[in-house]
Amino acid sequence: MYLKNSKIIVIKIGSSLLIDNKMKVRQKWLFEFAKDIKDLINQNKKIIIVSSGAIALGCKKLNLNKKNLKLDKSQAVASIGQIELMNLFKKTFNSKKINLSQILLTLEDTEQRRRAINAKRTINNLFDLGFVPIVNENDSIATSEIKYGDNDRLASRVAQISGADCLILLSDVDGLYTKNPKIYKDALLIKEIKNINTEIEKVASKSISAHGTGGMKTKIDAAKVCQLSGCKMAIANGLSLRPIKQILKKNNCTWFLTKVSKLDARKKWIISSISPKGELIIDDGAIGALKQGKSLLAAGIKKVNGKFNKGDHIKILDKNMKEYARGLSSFTADEISKIKGQHSNKIGELLGYITKSEVVHKDDMVEV
Ligand code: GLU
């Protein structure tokens, strides 16, 4: 029912749906999946597909084993495989007259506000033109420090940026079980999750499928992003033919529901950042001021961790290292090291130039 009521839907497909464990392309599956997408389009829904498979298809073409690949080699392999991936989609989706486009994203494209807005605009224009964007990480460019590394979290950020109503993570597991279903016969599929608490995190197993890099951990991380962005998320088994039809009919999956959120789009983007670059540890007085809706000033900052630039995402922690808020820093980490603990009217003198006085402005900050 959640899927039925959604207007903008992001569907992520894992590599193991496209390529079986003998490295054979699951052509028939993709053909049937195209029918699912066509049905959704006919119901006037806007669809974004996030597809993995570039590295797996590159390996197939070059006859390489993915497990032994070094990063620089895998970047080249992804470049070769991405075109194979799109060819596969184009060939298959053409038969259903579905127009496709390709968007390759790096971490910064979603984590920098201006670039995220730009991506959103491109997606909206593609919707207006009647095209279905197929998104993947730009693996050929991404390096290990600045990389999503898994398409689950990438898909959640795409869902958040595009204002999607729901995200479906199709993989080779049915969803989240109360226990490991491979070991325990009495394991039950959890149908709905309202709150991602430690119990839920515990049951999320660490199993990894043959091709994908995610496992349950990154799916839970994706669910957290979605929950904060007002986007429902499902983990569903996509292996059977017509997986979307199956969800509509049987709803045999795990749904993560959303929290009621009064945050605007920008604040949702701030709170669901994937990669905060640093931390500010602040004193009790500053926590009190933030609670009253004030901005964070240098005087209340005790310590700064990490290397970051102006405009980067940071975490704001209390003296017990508990996260209190997320925000965008108006200063670099180096600048904050020089001005921390000091009155705002000293900033000019300490830095040697005039800047604003709020280290994190209240409009750039969200309580967690
Ligand atoms: N972007 C990678 C690829 O296309 C996949 C990452 C993942 O498995 O989640 O091969």
Side-chain angles (χ1 to χ4, degrees):
M1 142 223 9
Y2 297 131
L3 185 56
K4 213 170 174 177
N5 295 336
S6 298
K7 288 202 177 76
I8 302 180
I9 302 167
V10 179
I11 303 172
K12 179 254 171 177
I13 56 183
S15 308
S16 53
L17 301 181
L18 287 175
I19 301 134
D20 68 17
N21 48 20
K22 293 193 186 82
M23 295 303 274
K24 238 182 107 191
V25 172
R26 299 180 74 229
Q27 189 75 59
K28 165 110 175 117
W29 179 86
L30 192 59
F31 182 73
E32 295 294 316
F33 178 65
K35 289 187 191 163
D36 272 347
I37 301 299
K38 188 70 185 177
D39 280 357
L40 294 174
I41 293 172
N42 286 343
Q43 292 163 44
N44 266 331
K45 299 187 188 299
K46 315 263 187 241
I47 312 296
I48 302 172
I49 298 171
V50 176
S51 180
S52 307
I55 297 182
L57 285 171
C59 283
K60 177 178 163 63
K61 186 160 177 87
L62 300 170
N63 213 1
L64 292 172
N65 185 341
K66 187 181 170 190
K67 290 204 175 86
N68 311 326
L69 278 186
K70 294 226 171 66
L71 177 72
D72 55 345
K73 186 84 173 273
S74 79
Q75 291 180 313
V77 171
S79 159
I80 293 162
Q82 181 63 30
I83 198 165
E84 297 288 316
L85 182 64
M86 291 312 289
N87 266 338
L88 187 60
F89 267 101
K90 193 143 190 348
K91 200 170 66 190
T92 316
F93 279 54
N94 258 351
S95 63
K96 291 272 148 244
K97 298 201 167 42
I98 301 170
N99 298 316
L100 297 177
S101 73
Q102 173 187 260
I103 303 180
L104 296 179
L105 293 174
T106 51
L107 186 66
E108 280 142 340
D109 293 322
T110 62
E111 300 314 289
Q112 288 180 15
R113 185 70 187 146
R114 228 165 26 122
R115 285 162 74 162
I117 290 172
N118 195 31
K120 178 188 171 64
R121 218 171 277 148
T122 305
I123 290 168
N124 283 343
N125 277 312
L126 287 165
F127 285 160
D128 290 347
L129 291 166
F131 277 65
V132 173
I134 301 197
V135 180
N136 196 2
E137 180 160 16
N138 195 350
D139 294 307
S140 307
I141 301 296
T143 58
S144 53
E145 315 85 69
I146 47 156
K147 195 171 163 48
Y148 277 99
D150 67 87
N151 278 4
D152 296 326
R153 292 178 313 141
L154 169 68
S156 68
R157 217 42 176 147
V158 168
Q160 185 257 315
I161 286 167
S162 60
D165 305 292
C166 86
L167 163 65
I168 313 279
L169 297 181
L170 291 180
S171 75
D172 50 9
V173 292
D174 298 337
L176 195 59
Y177 280 88
T178 48
K179 305 176 192 173
N180 185 343
K182 285 191 185 126
I183 305 173
Y184 302 98
K185 282 222 172 72
D186 60 341
L188 293 172
L189 183 69
I190 307 173
K191 296 288 242 183
E192 282 192 2
I193 294 173
K194 286 200 184 83
N195 212 345
I196 307 170
N197 51 27
T198 42
E199 196 57 33
I200 295 294
E201 304 225 25
K202 232 164 60 192
V203 295
S205 86
K206 292 194 178 93
S207 64
I208 313 175
S209 70
H211 301 291
T213 42
M216 206 44 96
K217 161 93 179 67
T218 54
K219 292 182 178 45
I220 299 291
D221 288 345
K224 287 182 190 164
V225 171
C226 286
Q227 203 158 54
L228 292 167
S229 334
C231 170
K232 295 191 178 64
M233 190 194 100
I235 301 176
N237 197 325
L239 280 171
S240 62
L241 299 181
R242 307 288 310 261
I244 301 296
K245 198 174 164 190
Q246 300 287 341
I247 296 174
L248 283 165
K249 223 163 80 185
K250 298 194 191 133
N251 201 29
N252 199 33
C253 54
T254 301
W255 279 100
F256 291 82
L257 307 185
T258 54
K259 288 190 176 153
V260 183
S261 169
K262 287 195 217 80
L263 298 176
D264 61 26
R266 186 165 174 281
K267 290 214 163 169
K268 280 181 182 165
W269 174 81
I270 292 174
I271 188 103
S272 52
S273 159
I274 299 276
S275 60
K277 295 246 168 59
E279 296 170 344
L280 298 179
I281 294 109
I282 65 174
D283 63 23
D284 290 343
I287 293 274
L290 299 194
K291 280 196 175 135
Q292 289 171 28
K294 303 223 168 93
S295 298
L296 177 64
L297 303 178
I301 301 174
K302 291 162 76 79
K303 198 169 171 232
V304 46
N305 289 332
K307 283 243 152 290
F308 50 87
N309 283 316
K310 286 188 174 66
D312 280 347
H313 279 101
I314 45 141
K315 291 183 182 182
I316 299 168
L317 313 177
D318 68 13
K319 61 174 195 271
N320 301 319
M321 300 302 278
K322 187 166 176 292
E323 186 173 356
Y324 176 77
R326 291 266 174 115
L328 305 178
S329 179
S330 301
F331 290 83
T332 69
D334 283 346
E335 287 171 334
I336 299 173
S337 307
K338 289 183 194 149
I339 62 172
K340 66 178 186 332
Q342 302 286 341
H343 195 279
S344 300
N345 62 15
K346 282 264 174 58
I347 293 179
E349 189 188 321
L350 287 163
L351 297 180
Y353 42 85
I354 308 291
T355 62
K356 49 176 142 186
S357 53
E358 301 91 359
V359 176
V360 181
H361 193 275
K362 60 181 178 1
D363 293 344
D364 295 336
M365 187 165 25
V366 193
E367 238 179 82
V368 295

